[in-house]
Amino acid sequence: MMFWQKAWRILALIIVFLLCWSMGFLLVFWLNGGAGTSSLANDYVRQGLALVIGGLLEFIVLLIYFKLKPKTHRLFFQNMTEVLQQIGKGDYKVQVDTDPKRIGPYEPVASSINQMAEDLGRLERMRQEFISNVSHEIQSPLTSISGFSRELLDNDTLDDKERKEILEIIELESKRISKLSRNLLRLTSLESEQYPFEPKRYRLDRQLRAVVLACEPQWVEKKLNMDIELASVTVFADEDTLNQVWINLLNNSIKFTPAGGTISISLQQRKRGSVVIFRDNGCGIGKADIPYVFDRFYKADKSRNREAGGSGLGLSIAKKIIDMHHGGITVNSSIGEGAVFTVTLPISS
């Protein structure tokens, strides 16, 4: 019905245009003094026919245009509805046609839907990977605990020294599960944006010095050299959460720096804000791994991390806390050349 209404409107416009043109033609002919009835009739018929044929051709073109346009709209919205239904069912590989020649002005809408599907697909892959990693990290110590517990129950020939060693392993694996659980809860709390965030003004250099002293047993045990250069800097930040960042970064440096190595910590006040740098001369990180070091559970060297007792969450927690402070954290490293972690806290933080 809508199609025929549009067609009659176009036809009416053409008729009105012809009438107006006829009146204009007669007026011009009269102003020029006229040239006889036959001349008037011939000119009128000749020009009128040209105009009518041109109008009919235009009318046909418009009819075809308005006939095809709704079909294009229907096809686009039908395709979009089907794609959204598939996305709702969990299929994020579907795509809407984005060719401007076929969908015209709807190209931005189609591109947005495709981008949404890609983002949802990426989130779903991250969720599945997260579940897989958590299961793997929990399963490993549980397997050790179960195996050594069975050894204690079934083997009556173990002496006191062997029993003590097994119990120490069970205790160590239990602590690993406990630490993993605490880190997961902390990371979940940070990402939910419900973590208590209470910024205040305090001396950042004093906090860093206190963290180094608190970790003294670890770096003394490995006979590491600590090179500390801290300028007097005051920041406005959440002291408790930032304390976790410095502990994670320092533990990371201690973990991967060989015995007798050196860890450097510097603090400077620059125009862009406060800059804290943790530098070590450990085994370093490969260039291919650098973009992923802040991802949850990512381990550049899984065997080495497991040996050191890491879960792959420390750097993720550190980055999330720095993001909460609107700062930045980066890493620069190469295999065999150690690693440099740089944290920037903006002046306004």
Side-chain angles (χ1 to χ4, degrees):
M1 188 65 183
M2 292 293 295
F3 168 74
W4 290 113
Q5 287 179 350
K6 291 180 179 179
W8 282 114
R9 288 175 184 173
I10 294 172
L11 186 59
L13 287 173
I14 292 175
I15 293 173
V16 170
F17 178 76
L18 285 173
L19 291 174
C20 293
W21 174 82
S22 298
M23 293 177 62
F25 178 85
L26 292 173
L27 181 61
V28 171
F29 186 82
W30 177 75
L31 289 174
N32 287 333
T37 305
S38 59
S39 177
L40 171 63
N42 291 335
D43 289 344
Y44 181 80
V45 170
R46 188 166 51 250
Q47 294 186 31
L49 284 174
L51 188 61
V52 168
I53 292 172
L56 286 174
L57 291 174
E58 182 182 5
F59 178 69
I60 292 171
V61 170
L62 290 173
L63 281 179
I64 295 173
Y65 172 76
F66 284 111
K67 183 68 175 176
L68 293 178
K69 189 176 180 182
K71 183 179 179 181
T72 303
H73 294 182
R74 286 196 303 271
L75 289 174
F76 170 75
F77 285 110
Q78 181 180 355
N79 179 232
M80 182 181 69
T81 302
E82 292 173 353
V83 167
L84 291 176
Q85 288 175 345
Q86 291 299 109
I87 292 175
K89 294 177 181 179
D91 182 6
Y92 305 116
K93 296 180 180 179
V94 291
Q95 295 281 292
V96 182
D97 184 11
T98 57
D99 190 343
K101 295 180 179 178
R102 289 192 292 270
I103 65 173
Y106 299 111
E107 189 271 335
V109 178
S111 297
S112 298
I113 293 174
N114 291 342
Q115 185 62 49
M116 178 186 69
E118 291 178 8
D119 292 342
L120 290 173
R122 184 166 57 253
L123 288 174
E124 177 62 17
R125 290 191 296 273
M126 290 175 61
R127 184 188 69 83
Q128 293 176 355
E129 184 180 356
F130 178 76
I131 294 173
S132 175
N133 287 330
V134 171
S135 300
H136 177 75
E137 291 295 330
I138 292 177
Q139 186 62 38
S140 179
L142 284 178
T143 301
S144 296
I145 292 172
S146 176
F148 284 111
S149 298
R150 178 55 56 185
E151 179 73 12
L152 287 175
L153 290 172
D154 296 343
N155 195 340
D156 296 329
T157 63
L158 295 174
D159 57 29
D160 291 341
K161 181 180 179 181
E162 290 173 329
R163 286 180 179 275
K164 184 179 179 181
E165 289 177 352
I166 291 177
L167 289 172
E168 287 177 349
I169 293 174
I170 292 176
E171 181 186 23
L172 180 63
E173 295 299 307
S174 299
K175 288 181 177 178
R176 280 184 58 193
I177 295 178
S178 178
K179 183 179 179 181
L180 175 63
S181 176
R182 288 197 307 270
N183 284 338
L184 283 172
L185 289 173
R186 183 179 291 112
L187 187 58
T188 302
S189 179
L190 289 169
E191 291 183 341
S192 68
E193 299 183 355
Q194 296 178 353
Y195 196 88
F197 189 72
E198 301 173 353
K200 64 179 181 181
R201 194 167 297 280
Y202 71 94
R203 287 277 296 275
L204 182 56
D205 54 302
R206 291 176 181 172
Q207 183 185 40
L208 288 166
R209 192 170 285 108
V211 167
V212 173
L213 291 175
C215 296
E216 184 175 4
Q218 291 96 301
W219 53 265
V220 167
E221 183 181 1
K222 293 186 69 173
K223 299 180 181 179
L224 300 178
N225 301 307
M226 300 298 296
D227 182 13
I228 310 299
E229 186 179 349
L230 306 175
S232 177
V233 174
T234 300
V235 295
F236 185 73
D238 187 290
E239 188 172 5
D240 290 338
T241 55
L242 276 187
N243 200 64
Q244 184 65 52
V245 173
W246 313 135
I247 290 175
N248 288 357
L249 290 177
L250 182 54
N251 284 338
N252 197 68
S253 295
I254 293 173
K255 194 180 300 181
F256 301 122
T257 301
T262 300
I263 296 175
S264 301
I265 303 176
S266 66
L267 169 62
Q268 300 175 357
Q269 182 69 58
R270 299 178 184 174
K271 291 183 179 180
R272 57 178 177 171
S274 306
V275 180
V276 182
I277 300 176
F278 283 74
R279 185 190 305 271
D280 65 64
N281 61 352
C283 52
I285 305 170
K287 295 296 184 183
D289 295 309
I290 286 180
Y292 310 104
V293 295
F294 297 109
D295 291 354
R296 292 174 294 185
F297 294 105
Y298 188 81
K299 298 179 182 181
D301 186 337
K302 294 178 173 57
S303 60
R304 186 188 66 207
N305 270 272
R306 184 167 299 283
E307 211 172 273
S311 63
L313 288 174
L315 292 178
S316 298
I317 292 173
K319 186 178 188 308
K320 183 60 183 178
I321 292 173
I322 296 301
D323 288 344
M324 290 170 58
H325 285 81
H326 305 290
I329 179 169
T330 59
V331 58
N332 185 19
S333 180
S334 297
I335 295 294
E337 297 183 6
V340 179
F341 286 86
T342 302
V343 176
T344 304
L345 296 171
I347 296 176
S348 58
S349 65

